[in-house]
Amino acid sequence: MKRQFIVVIFLLCSIITLAQEKRTYKVGILVDRTNSELSPLIDKLKNEVKAVVGEDAIIEFPNDALLVNNFDLERARSNYNQLLASDIDIILAFGVLNNEIISPLAVHEKPTILFGALNRDVQQLDLSKTSSGIENFTYLIESESYQDDLNRFKELSDFKNLGIAIDAPIANILPLQEIFDAELAELNANYQLIRFESVADIIANLDGTDALYMAGGFFMTTEEKKVLIQELLKRKLPSFTVNGPADVKMGFLATLQAEENLDQFFRRIALNIEAYVTGTPMSELPIFIDYNPRLTINYNTSDKIGFPIKYSLIGETDFVGEFRNVLSEKEYDLLAVINQALGQNLSIQSSQRDVDLASQEVKTANSNYLPSLTASGTATYVDPDLAEISNGQNPEFSTAGTLTLNQTVFSEAANANIAIQKNLQKAQQEDFNAAQLDLIFDAANTYFNVLILKANTQIQVRNVDLTKRNLEIAEQNFEAGQSGKSDMLRFKSEMAQNTQAMVEAINQLEQGFLILNQILNNPSNLEIDVTDVKMDEGVFEDYKYDELFGLLDNPSLREGFTDFLIQEAYNNAPELRSLGYNLEATDRNIRLNGYGRFLPTVALQGQYNSTFNRSGAGSTIPPDLPFGLVDNFYTAGASISIPIVNQNLNNINRQTALIQKDQLEINKDNLELNIAVNVRNGVLNLVNQMSNIELSKISEETAAEALELTRASYAEGAVNIVQLLDAQNNYLNAQLARTNAVYNFLINALQLERFMGYYFLLNTKEKNDAFRQRFFEFLNTQN
């Protein structure tokens, strides 16, 4: 025991001694310019260096050793000399002006790491070497190239007159004119070099350009970039930037820089410092940073400027931005969708016309009790020989007119028809109400389907990006000899399949918008979008859908609640009311063809006759006749008719009506059964979706953690590709389930409301409170 204690004491003393022997290195930093947004990047670099070198040395970054020249050459020279005269051990120099001061030096008094140019195309250092070969000096050269950017931008936009924006101080030092002259000549395009001091300089020189290449702008603030982006969007100009995906997320169209490039750059600087403090001369450190180019496109920007994304590029492209329609002329929430559908949907308009037609049938039936007045006129020519002997009764020429009035006083058939048509009109109105309820659910279902498709699209895009990362790991493992080529090929195949799934998801989203436009009776090409919903926010929070969640989650209340919902559905169902009105119409038809056939039909008639003129032979009465001619007279009468035998049609019609009644009663029983089954199924579906909401959350979190562990293990060669693919697919399915869980719950909730014939969203708070009160009263009656 004593011996073990001595060993422990010895080890502790050794560790303390080693810690005391760590050398402290002070690092000075030279930059051309900085601002509040670049300061965090400098802090990130410092932290990276300390994390990497911390086990070998103590790294300090004195606050007074961060020197900025603000693009002043003499200031840059003074800053460098100031660090040489100080107790700084290592110099990190960044920027074009610092490059102008440091790179020409033959002797470097202090160890210096230089990153002097923004791009490989304008490097003034020897690119043929793998190390500097200069004592106390090394430099870093990136694989990024203006030429590569321009080639890809040309492939994307086929620009003809390109604007190239570069910071004026940089453009005044680097030979950019010569470089761009050669590179744009190869692309058969013209260009305008825009040297800028501010964003206003760029905007002022955009006229005449059909695209913009941001070859600079690293020192621009976020607000300045936003101003420029808005102008580019306004002009619908495609843009390409050297500054990475962060700028693309703000609204630039594209970049060829990967998001991890900056991290890789910081890591290389830290590794160079670590190599130096552990004994490797600066002259032998590697100078190249080989980035993997990755095309990143802002989906929203491409939409807004009408920029088509080629499907041939999707497999090698990262997409940023939300999958929302930035060109949308109208953004709909759920209530807006429902209200417009009720007002403008063509199918519901057609159903409304059915109600209008039924109302016209009622008017037609009522018109049987309205008087009928007929006017007629005649002109008569009679053979003159016959007229001559007619004693003035039939003159050769005469004109006359007649008014005839008919009025039905009582008719059992007319009474029955009125009652039947009124009931049929009410039934048609209930059918229309049912069609409205169906339309509300269809519109809501389509709305949620669009949200599901949007979420699915975003997940598929992320899955493609995840597959790209896994492919990179497979390629690295293959190059390191940790896995075979088959893993790399398998991921390439997976990449193709996932890319196809992403393309299909994007097109399905477009199809979803088409269907929504159709339901809303919008032009099919109208650009629209929908707002997201959550169960505990907005309209669903206002109508307390979480209470429904709570009721269904309580097994002791669930059965009573289900019975109550079935009773409410019976009371509200327009389909049942429609059948009820059809039954009343059928009963009235039965009565008509039963005792009603023996009731008489009573009518009144009247007629007025007038002779307007008489002429020609026989137009006058002989004077010796004792009577004269009456030109105007009327008649009146009444009629009563009773059908006695009508070809047995009354009995046949009565039997037909009885069969129809029996059929309607069967349909009513079947409908009540369907309603009860639908409500119970709806409740069970909601319970399933409630469980899905909770479990899918756990599943996604677990799948994400499992994927990270599996990826790390695969990178180390501890698991095979099948396990990694299984973990990725499991995560994909978990994401889809989690994202769609709330949407599916709300869809099923609205479907249950459709079965009940009562939508909480479309009723007032007072009516919804009354609904809750009825439920509690129902529970009390059951106990």
Side-chain angles (χ1 to χ4, degrees):
M1 182 70 182
K2 183 177 180 182
R3 180 177 298 175
Q4 291 176 343
F5 179 74
I6 293 172
V7 170
V8 171
I9 294 296
F10 175 77
L11 290 174
L12 288 173
C13 292
S14 300
I15 293 171
I16 293 171
T17 302
L18 289 173
Q20 290 174 342
E21 291 177 355
K22 277 187 180 181
R23 180 180 169 184
T24 298
Y25 289 86
K26 294 184 177 180
V27 180
I29 300 177
L30 300 174
V31 294
D32 285 345
R33 179 178 288 177
T34 188
N35 56 42
S36 60
E37 296 181 10
L38 295 180
S39 295
L41 295 180
I42 295 176
D43 292 337
K44 185 176 181 180
L45 171 62
K46 294 177 181 179
N47 293 333
E48 181 73 15
V49 172
K50 290 178 180 179
V52 172
V53 188
E55 294 185 2
D56 303 307
I58 299 173
I59 301 296
E60 294 180 355
F61 292 91
N63 291 332
D64 59 354
L66 174 59
L67 304 178
V68 183
N69 61 55
N70 287 318
F71 291 113
D72 184 324
L73 191 61
E74 290 306 315
R75 182 72 176 274
R77 192 185 312 277
S78 173
N79 288 346
Y80 178 63
N81 291 330
Q82 181 179 334
L83 291 184
L84 290 179
S86 68
D87 60 349
I88 291 298
D89 299 300
I90 300 173
I91 298 174
L92 300 181
F94 304 97
V96 175
L97 267 69
N98 289 318
N99 178 70
E100 289 292 308
I101 299 299
I102 296 173
S103 61
L105 297 176
V107 176
H108 297 268
E109 299 179 25
K110 290 189 176 183
T112 303
I113 299 175
L114 172 68
F115 178 70
L118 302 176
N119 198 276
R120 186 185 67 198
D121 296 6
V122 294
Q123 279 286 355
Q124 298 171 330
L125 299 168
D126 191 347
L127 300 181
S128 64
K129 297 180 179 180
T130 57
S131 61
S132 70
I134 302 173
E135 185 178 357
N136 272 347
F137 179 65
T138 189
Y139 50 89
L140 297 176
I141 299 175
E142 295 181 323
S143 59
E144 297 172 353
S145 166
Y146 290 140
Q147 183 71 66
D148 293 341
D149 283 356
L150 292 171
N151 288 341
R152 183 53 62 92
F153 195 20
K154 179 70 172 179
E155 182 182 359
L156 285 174
S157 66
D158 193 27
F159 55 78
K160 303 297 182 185
N161 296 287
L162 180 66
I164 301 178
I166 188 78
D167 306 78
I170 297 175
N172 294 335
I173 295 173
L174 298 178
L176 296 175
Q177 193 85 33
E178 300 173 9
I179 294 170
F180 288 133
D181 280 348
E183 293 179 351
L184 271 298
E186 292 182 12
L187 297 177
N188 193 28
N190 299 318
Y191 80 97
Q192 176 186 354
L193 189 61
I194 304 174
R195 297 175 172 86
F196 68 89
E197 295 280 357
S198 67
V199 67
D201 297 334
I202 303 176
I203 294 174
N205 287 278
L206 289 178
D207 292 341
T209 63
D210 56 9
L212 177 69
Y213 177 46
M214 282 298 296
F218 183 74
F219 301 104
M220 291 174 66
T221 66
T222 297
E223 289 305 315
E224 288 174 327
K225 291 177 181 178
K226 287 181 178 179
V227 170
L228 176 58
I229 288 167
Q230 289 303 313
E231 184 65 26
L232 293 173
L233 294 177
K234 178 181 176 182
R235 295 172 179 250
K236 296 189 180 299
L237 288 179
S239 54
F240 204 97
T241 177
V242 298
N243 295 319
D247 281 12
V248 175
K249 289 177 182 177
M250 278 194 285
F252 285 104
L253 175 63
T255 185
L256 200 55
Q257 311 309 316
E259 193 161 10
E260 60 271 14
N261 283 8
L262 190 60
D263 293 336
Q264 189 176 346
F265 175 68
F266 288 165
R267 176 57 60 92
R268 170 55 68 83
I269 293 174
L271 291 174
N272 280 1
I273 294 176
E274 180 191 39
Y276 170 73
V277 301
T278 56
T280 303
M282 287 279 183
S283 60
E284 298 178 8
L285 296 178
I287 62 175
F288 284 103
I289 304 178
D290 192 13
Y291 295 142
N292 291 321
R294 183 184 295 278
L295 180 64
T296 302
I297 291 179
N298 188 306
Y299 177 85
N300 301 134
T301 298
S302 68
D303 255 6
K304 198 157 191 176
I305 67 175
F307 181 83
I309 299 175
K310 299 178 181 178
Y311 284 118
S312 60
L313 297 175
I314 287 180
E316 56 188 66
T317 302
D318 292 339
F319 290 95
V320 297
E322 301 177 5
F323 274 82
R324 60 182 181 85
N325 193 346
V326 295
L327 296 178
S328 63
E329 300 177 33
K330 185 171 183 179
E331 190 172 48
Y332 289 92
D333 59 20
L334 179 57
L335 288 179
V337 166
I338 291 173
N339 290 330
Q340 182 168 328
L342 290 175
Q344 298 185 21
N345 179 265
L346 293 178
S347 296
I348 206 68
Q349 290 183 41
S350 177
S351 296
Q352 179 61 59
R353 297 300 177 270
D354 288 335
V355 177
D356 296 339
L357 290 173
S359 299
Q360 292 301 114
E361 292 296 327
V362 173
K363 293 179 181 179
T364 300
N366 284 322
S367 69
N368 286 324
Y369 275 109
L370 295 178
S372 170
L373 180 63
T374 305
S376 62
T378 59
T380 305
Y381 174 76
V382 177
D383 182 279
D385 294 334
L386 179 61
E388 187 67 34
I389 62 174
S390 66
N391 297 322
Q393 300 300 311
N394 292 306
E396 182 180 2
F397 299 102
S398 66
T399 58
T402 302
L403 287 176
T404 303
L405 175 67
N406 291 294
Q407 172 67 60
T408 300
V409 177
F410 176 83
S411 170
E412 177 62 8
N415 292 341
N417 188 35
I418 291 171
I420 289 170
Q421 293 304 326
K422 285 182 177 180
N423 282 314
L424 291 179
Q425 189 271 338
K426 292 176 182 177
Q428 190 65 57
Q429 180 63 53
E430 294 301 333
D431 290 342
F432 175 73
N433 295 340
Q436 282 188 316
L437 293 175
D438 289 337
L439 177 61
I440 291 169
F441 176 72
D442 289 342
N445 191 35
T446 303
Y447 173 87
F448 283 116
N449 281 337
V450 171
L451 288 176
I452 289 173
L453 291 170
K454 287 179 70 174
N456 179 51
T457 302
Q458 291 172 330
I459 291 172
Q460 293 295 345
V461 170
R462 290 199 297 267
N463 189 49
V464 168
D465 184 65
L466 180 60
T467 306
K468 291 175 185 176
R469 303 290 186 268
N470 289 338
L471 176 58
E472 289 176 1
I473 295 175
E475 290 172 342
Q476 293 168 3
N477 285 355
F478 174 68
E479 293 171 358
Q482 294 182 359
S483 64
K485 189 176 182 180
S486 60
D487 281 12
M488 190 168 59
L489 296 176
R490 176 69 182 274
F491 268 119
K492 286 184 177 180
S493 174
E494 192 76 11
M495 182 71 192
Q497 295 175 26
N498 292 343
T499 300
Q500 179 60 29
M502 182 183 71
V503 172
E504 291 176 358
I506 293 172
N507 288 331
Q508 286 169 358
L509 177 59
E510 292 298 322
Q511 290 171 337
F513 282 122
L514 284 174
I515 295 173
L516 185 57
N517 269 333
Q518 181 181 15
I519 286 179
L520 298 176
N521 191 23
N522 288 331
S524 60
N525 61 346
L526 181 68
E527 298 288 350
I528 61 173
D529 203 358
V530 294
T531 57
D532 200 0
V533 296
K534 294 183 180 179
M535 195 167 62
D536 57 351
E537 293 181 8
V539 66
F540 289 99
E541 180 185 26
D542 295 340
Y543 291 94
K544 300 181 180 180
Y545 272 71
D546 54 337
E547 288 187 3
L548 179 61
F549 197 106
L551 286 171
L552 297 177
D553 195 39
N554 188 337
S556 63
L557 293 176
R558 188 186 304 158
E559 184 59 32
F561 183 58
T562 303
D563 291 337
F564 170 71
L565 293 183
I566 292 173
Q567 189 61 49
E568 285 290 310
Y570 287 159
N571 296 334
N572 296 329
E575 296 89 348
L576 282 177
R577 289 197 293 270
S578 176
L579 284 175
Y581 289 126
N582 277 289
L583 276 170
E584 291 182 20
T586 303
D587 282 336
R588 189 66 182 86
N589 193 23
I590 292 171
R591 293 197 301 273
L592 171 65
N593 289 284
Y595 68 84
R597 61 182 171 174
F598 299 114
L599 294 177
T601 298
V602 179
L604 300 175
Q605 299 88 29
Q607 183 171 301
Y608 181 80
N609 300 281
S610 177
T611 301
F612 301 137
N613 64 75
R614 304 164 183 269
S615 61
S619 59
T620 59
I621 299 176
D624 55 338
L625 292 180
F627 57 84
L629 296 176
V630 179
D631 289 334
N632 301 292
F633 64 94
Y634 64 89
T635 61
S639 66
I640 297 178
S641 62
I642 300 175
I644 298 176
V645 177
N646 188 25
Q647 301 174 329
N648 202 33
L649 289 179
N650 294 101
N651 288 331
I652 294 173
N653 291 337
R654 184 172 181 275
Q655 291 167 3
T656 300
L658 288 171
I659 295 172
Q660 290 173 339
K661 180 179 180 181
D662 188 49
Q663 182 185 43
L664 289 171
E665 289 175 342
I666 292 172
N667 289 342
K668 181 180 179 183
D669 293 339
N670 185 46
L671 181 57
E672 289 177 345
L673 180 60
N674 285 339
I675 289 173
V677 170
N678 286 337
V679 169
R680 291 189 179 278
N681 279 333
V683 170
L684 293 174
N685 287 336
L686 278 181
V687 174
N688 290 338
Q689 294 304 325
M690 285 167 47
S691 174
N692 188 30
I693 289 174
E694 298 301 324
L695 296 179
S696 63
K697 179 180 179 180
I698 299 172
S699 176
E700 183 186 21
E701 293 172 351
T702 305
E705 184 177 357
L707 176 60
E708 288 303 314
L709 293 174
T710 306
R711 286 179 66 186
S713 298
Y714 178 77
E716 297 172 358
V719 299
N720 59 38
I721 188 175
V722 175
Q723 292 170 288
L724 179 56
L725 286 174
D726 286 344
Q728 180 178 337
N729 290 330
N730 186 39
Y731 180 54
L732 171 65
N733 293 330
Q735 282 182 299
L736 292 172
R738 167 73 186 282
T739 303
N740 298 340
V742 172
Y743 297 145
N744 287 328
F745 176 85
L746 294 175
I747 288 174
N748 280 274
L750 290 171
Q751 186 177 47
L752 179 58
E753 292 178 18
R754 168 60 190 97
F755 295 149
M756 290 191 302
Y758 183 93
Y759 287 103
F760 292 101
L761 288 172
L762 304 180
N763 283 281
T764 63
K765 181 179 182 301
E766 290 74 18
K767 289 186 178 180
N768 290 338
D769 289 341
F771 180 92
R772 295 184 184 91
Q773 184 61 35
R774 288 198 302 273
F775 168 60
F776 293 123
E777 292 173 357
F778 180 86
L779 284 183
N780 291 333
T781 61
Q782 302 299 304
N783 295 330

